[in-house]
Structures are given as structure tokens and as C-alpha cells.
Amino acid sequence: MHKVMRKTIIALVLSFSIGCSALPLKQTLVTSVQIIETSAGALQDTENAAYKAQLWKISPEAHREINKRLSRIFAAQIKLAEVLKVWKASDPYPLELSEIVAATTEIIDLISKYGYADDPQSQVILTMLKAILKNVTTFTAILGGAK
Amino acid sequence: VNKTEIDVWIQIGTLLLNAGLVISGGIQSLIHSVHPGATEGQLNAILDGIIADATVRKARADAEAAGK
């Protein structure tokens, strides 16, 4: 629990740093990737804990489908971090950003498809999913500003 | 109400509380402590940490997706 709390605090603190133009570009991009990774991690921890405690009463099938997309998000994050290690401002946008957006959007669609969108617990999950999308959008804006 | 249930609600409550703190600007002063003056090597080390963490998380997600 404390690990989740710590990561949540870090994610929220780091969210402010994205707009800090005084930081060199790579610092900002690394911070931004950390935010995406931390927010996705908090999502995984919350979804998993809420599902297993039966606080979020989704079906096993829905849980499996959501985790398939989480796996894609983390796979894309791994590639994104690898790309960033050698990335230069003249390089094209990392394709991994599109994969993170696609998988995150699919989870949002799954929650509606399975009929959980109106559950109070779903609102917490949906808020976290939207935070991931917002963080990717911010990352893309930073890259755009670097060109 | 079991311990796990309490833990989950504390997590959710903490999320909301922290969101409130951020909105109020109470922890904004901590922003400037994020990677100040980090070198290229230090930033790449951070990225390596992200890769390691994401690798573990991907494995967890794969296990959950497989119903394990």
C-alpha cells in the first residue's frame, strides 16, 4: 500500500514539472516518461487490488482483457524508454506513444462494453486512464515544441 | 470489511487527497527537486530503471491476462 501511495505522490508532483521550461529537454522528457509509467503502474495496482478484493466487481474475462491492454502499455513504455536513451530532437515521434494511447483507449471502451461505466469504482479507474492519455498528450506537445 | 478492502479504500482516498494537495499547490515547491542538473548518464540510468519496472509490471499483467 505504501508503495502505491509513494508512487501516486511522485506522479502527482511530477505532473507539475512537465511545464517547467527551465529543465533541459531530455530531463523533461525523462520526467514525462516517468509520469506515464508511474500513472500506469498506479492504475495496475489499483485495478488489481480492487478486483481481487471484489471492490470493483468486474468479471474475470474483463479483468483479463484489461490486463492484456496493460501488458501492451508496459511493453510500449519499455520501447519508449529505450528510444529516449538515444533520441534526438530531429528524430520522428516515437510510435510507442500511439500504442499507449490505443491500449489505454481500449480499456476505457472495455469498461463501457462490459457495462461498468456507471459504477462508482469505475470512475477512479477511468480518471487514472484519462490521466495516462493526458500525460501522453503532454509528452507529444513537449516533443512538438522541440522541433 | 477485511484488511485488503480497507487498504484499497485508503489507496483510493490517498489518490483523491493527493489530487487535492496538488490543486492547492501545497507541494508545488517540490517540483524543482526533480532531476536537477542530471547528466546524460544519470538520465539514462533513470530510463533503465523505468525499463526494469515496466518489465516487471508487464510480466504481472501477462500473468493476470493468462488467469494465473
Side-chain angles (χ1 to χ4, degrees), chain A residues 46-62:
Chain A
T46 303
E47 190 276 339
N48 202 37
Y51 169 74
K52 289 186 173 165
Q54 296 188 323
L55 289 173
W56 196 33
K57 301 185 190 313
I58 60 173
S59 67
E61 180 189 358

Side-chain angles (χ1 to χ4, degrees), chain B residues 33-55:
Chain B
S33 66
V34 180
H35 315 320
T39 64
E40 180 84 9
Q42 288 170 328
L43 291 173
N44 284 342
I46 292 169
L47 290 170
D48 284 336
I50 291 171
I51 291 168
D53 189 63
T55 300

Side-chain angles (χ1 to χ4, degrees), chain A residues 7-9 12 14 16 26-27 31 34 37 41 44-45 48 52 55 63-64 67 71 74 82 85, chain B residues 5 8-9 15 18 22 31 34-35 38 40 44 47-48 50-51 53 57-58 60-62 64-65:
Chain A
K7 291 199 169 188
T8 302
I9 292 169
L12 291 168
L14 292 181
F16 268 104
K26 185 160 180 175
Q27 285 187 6
T31 302
Q34 276 188 302
E37 201 270 343
Q44 182 185 42
D45 290 341
N48 202 37
K52 289 186 173 165
L55 289 173
H63 175 68
R64 285 194 298 271
N67 273 278
S71 175
F74 291 120
E82 287 171 345
K85 286 173 74 173
Chain B
E5 187 170 341
V8 172
W9 283 117
L15 273 171
N18 289 330
V22 168
I31 292 169
V34 180
H35 315 320
E40 180 84 9
N44 284 342
L47 290 170
D48 284 336
I50 291 171
I51 291 168
D53 189 63
R57 288 190 172 281
K58 182 183 181 304
R60 273 181 55 194
D62 286 338
E64 292 293 331

